[in-house]
Amino acid sequence: MALLETLPEHIPLAPGVDLLFLPEPRLKRALLQLDFDLPLDAGCAARSLLAQLLEQGTAAHPTRMHLAQRQEELYGATARVGGLRAAEKHRMRLQAGWVGERFLPEGEGVAVQVLELARELLEQPRRGADGAAFDAEVFQRERAQLARHIRSFVDDRAGYAQQRFYEAMCAGEPFARAPWGTAEEVEALDPDTVEQARLEILKHGRVLIVAVGPIDRDPLLAALRDWLGEGGAWGTKRPELPPSVVGQPAALREVREEMPVDQARFHLGFRCPVPQGSEEMEALLLANSVLGGGIQGRLFRVVREERSLAYGIGSEVLAGKGLLTVSAGIDARKAGEVRDEVLHQVADLAAHGPNAEELEMAKASFRNGLQAIGDSAGGIARFYAREYQFGLHRSPAQRAAVLEALGPDQIQAAAQRWVADTAFLMAAPQAELAEQVG
């Protein structure tokens, strides 16, 4: 299958507001994704609660039922709000989707109406009595629900251990903050604080808009300019975001946290430079794939299959933050052996590079992923948004060409930049482990 070669049209709407437009008439559904980036700071809790509140209703559609009815009227359109951590940014995402015009009755088109509904979610929330920022009953319910959700996160042992690992490894750095905040921060919120968070998103968030699919360009572009373009309703000056903190560990730290768990969770974090340019980026990703980016990686083959030291193990790169992290489910009594084997595999990759089979399998894995990108508007949007955010601006075909040209020496050089920072273990109390041995 041929790889997608198209590059999106880049349209600067205002300083700090960029649109990537990629018409794809062969797709059935169109996707419009607006990412508002703000610092990963104490405002995360308010923005997370805001995302829940906005989906409860607007001034014109005051309940979830009214919103659902409006989406059905727009031939099954969707509009939703959410938040996530992106390196050391808190990304608030407004996403809308709709059916392309060729699948609708003749003369029908809903793109601008769907954008208006999405804009309504963020711009015209349902207000409370006497001019209150939000309906009091809805606010209290959603605040309590978010706080309960955060407190129950401890029951997701894998996710909770990962967050605690980030907090240990990146203490004092914005990345250590959970993007949803703490339960205590959420419970302290009042409607006016959350309203200020809403205005901050609209006024100060750095915005990337990606429009993909069967879209009539000009009407949608005009509506976006009216909203976020220079001279539009929110064409305000948007400050630059600070760069990610890239730590420099002096020595490997060991952190143990005790919890009543059946399966211990092990994490080992490495620092690395944030890659600059296409070759550095792809060399880093290929090196991670060789190490532990799938079942073909060394960690799975050696640590799990050959040595039976882990129930599952793998690694991932957080390129924008300059991190490579290894995670595994293990028997806590084998934590030292797992740590040593991971460090040995990293040292071996840095000293000798990958063999020909390892490198080819890693490249094949990426080729398969690149071939699948054009199958959905979501896949296309994710690819081009990532390219833009790293300043690379390539098509899948161009990225594949960079990958194919890389040799073992470049993979070895990428592994040589990894510096071990923190080994983290979440395990049952030592007394329980001693009883199991006995």
Side-chain angles (χ1 to χ4, degrees):
M1 181 185 296
L3 295 174
L4 189 65
E5 298 184 15
T6 314
L7 287 172
E9 180 184 4
H10 176 208
I11 306 171
L13 298 182
V17 182
D18 289 285
L19 168 64
L20 301 180
F21 180 78
L22 189 70
E24 278 291 344
R26 62 187 176 80
L27 297 177
K28 181 177 180 179
R29 290 186 66 86
L31 175 70
L32 181 68
Q33 180 173 291
L34 297 94
D35 286 340
F36 296 80
D37 284 353
L38 291 154
L40 191 63
D41 59 16
C44 292
R47 293 190 289 268
S48 297
L49 178 55
L50 174 69
Q52 292 188 190
L53 290 167
L54 295 179
E55 292 193 338
Q56 304 310 307
T58 68
H61 302 90
T63 67
R64 292 181 67 92
M65 183 180 70
H66 288 97
L67 285 172
Q69 288 174 339
R70 180 54 179 157
Q71 290 174 65
E72 285 302 310
E73 291 169 359
L74 296 172
Y75 298 96
T78 58
R80 58 178 63 93
V81 187
L84 62 150
R85 172 170 43 199
E88 290 187 335
K89 298 183 286 291
H90 192 208
R91 179 165 294 159
M92 298 302 296
R93 174 166 291 169
L94 178 60
Q95 194 172 74
W98 62 93
V99 175
E101 290 182 7
R102 67 189 177 98
F103 298 99
L104 300 179
E106 187 175 353
E108 289 283 329
V110 298
V112 172
Q113 294 168 285
V114 175
L115 174 59
E116 289 172 351
L117 179 62
R119 177 177 175 178
E120 186 181 309
L121 283 174
L122 191 54
E123 205 172 44
Q124 300 174 33
R126 174 187 172 186
R127 299 303 189 184
D130 301 321
F134 299 96
D135 179 86
E137 181 180 351
V138 172
F139 184 89
Q140 291 169 11
R141 183 190 71 215
E142 295 303 315
R143 181 178 60 185
Q145 181 173 313
L146 179 57
R148 282 195 301 270
H149 178 74
I150 293 171
R151 287 200 166 93
S152 68
F153 185 51
V154 68
D155 298 326
D156 174 6
R157 293 295 196 246
Y160 181 71
Q162 181 182 63
Q163 175 57 32
R164 294 294 294 163
F165 162 61
Y166 289 158
E167 291 170 9
M169 180 173 174
C170 301
E173 302 171 25
F175 188 79
R177 176 178 288 277
W180 46 82
T182 67
E184 292 76 17
E185 287 172 335
V186 169
E187 289 169 340
L189 292 171
D190 58 52
D192 289 339
T193 302
V194 178
E195 172 66 4
Q196 287 303 310
R198 186 186 70 84
L199 295 174
E200 182 189 26
I201 292 169
L202 285 164
K203 291 179 179 179
H204 301 306
R206 305 281 297 187
V207 189
L208 175 63
I209 307 166
V210 185
V212 177
I215 301 173
D216 186 355
R217 174 187 182 278
D218 291 342
L220 186 65
L221 178 57
L224 287 168
R225 287 191 189 281
D226 179 66
W227 185 22
L228 296 167
E230 200 162 11
W234 295 97
T236 60
K237 184 176 180 181
R238 298 170 187 273
E240 294 281 351
L241 294 172
S244 293
V245 177
V246 180
Q248 299 294 329
L252 178 64
R253 295 174 292 165
E254 304 262 2
V255 178
R256 179 190 176 97
E257 185 165 316
E258 294 188 341
M259 283 195 68
V261 294
D262 295 326
Q263 182 183 121
R265 304 301 307 186
F266 173 81
H267 291 265
L268 181 52
F270 297 80
R271 302 281 186 164
C272 59
V274 174
Q276 303 298 312
S278 291
E279 289 189 358
E280 280 194 15
M281 174 66 78
E282 303 311 333
L284 173 62
L285 296 176
L286 281 172
N288 172 67
S289 183
V290 171
L291 177 68
I295 60 173
Q296 83 287 345
R298 293 184 179 187
L299 297 183
F300 187 89
R301 288 188 291 107
V302 177
V303 179
R304 183 187 186 278
E305 297 294 286
E306 294 178 14
R307 298 195 58 192
S308 299
L309 292 175
Y311 305 114
I313 187 167
S315 62
E316 67 172 338
V317 167
L318 303 171
K321 172 60 179 164
L323 295 183
L324 180 139
T325 63
V326 174
S327 61
I330 66 170
D331 181 331
R333 292 165 293 184
K334 296 182 179 180
E337 292 179 78
V338 174
R339 176 202 61 214
D340 292 345
E341 186 60 53
V342 172
L343 292 173
H344 170 71
Q345 293 299 328
V346 169
D348 183 79
L349 187 58
H352 305 109
N355 62 43
E357 182 181 6
E358 288 176 323
L359 184 53
E360 174 53 31
M361 290 183 70
K363 288 183 177 181
S365 176
F366 280 98
R367 280 196 297 268
N368 292 339
L370 289 170
Q371 286 176 341
I373 283 171
D375 293 343
S376 69
I380 296 171
R382 284 190 296 273
F383 177 85
Y384 285 110
R386 176 185 176 277
E387 289 291 303
Y388 171 87
Q389 286 148 4
F390 282 104
L392 299 175
H393 311 298
R394 306 165 300 181
S395 69
Q398 289 171 327
R399 184 183 173 197
V402 175
L403 282 161
E404 293 298 338
L406 292 175
D409 290 348
Q410 289 151 302
I411 311 310
Q412 179 181 355
Q416 289 171 348
R417 299 186 184 103
W418 300 342
V419 181
D421 185 303
T422 302
F424 176 89
L425 180 68
M426 179 175 285
Q430 296 277 18
E432 290 186 19
L433 291 176
E435 289 178 9
Q436 292 173 18
V437 174

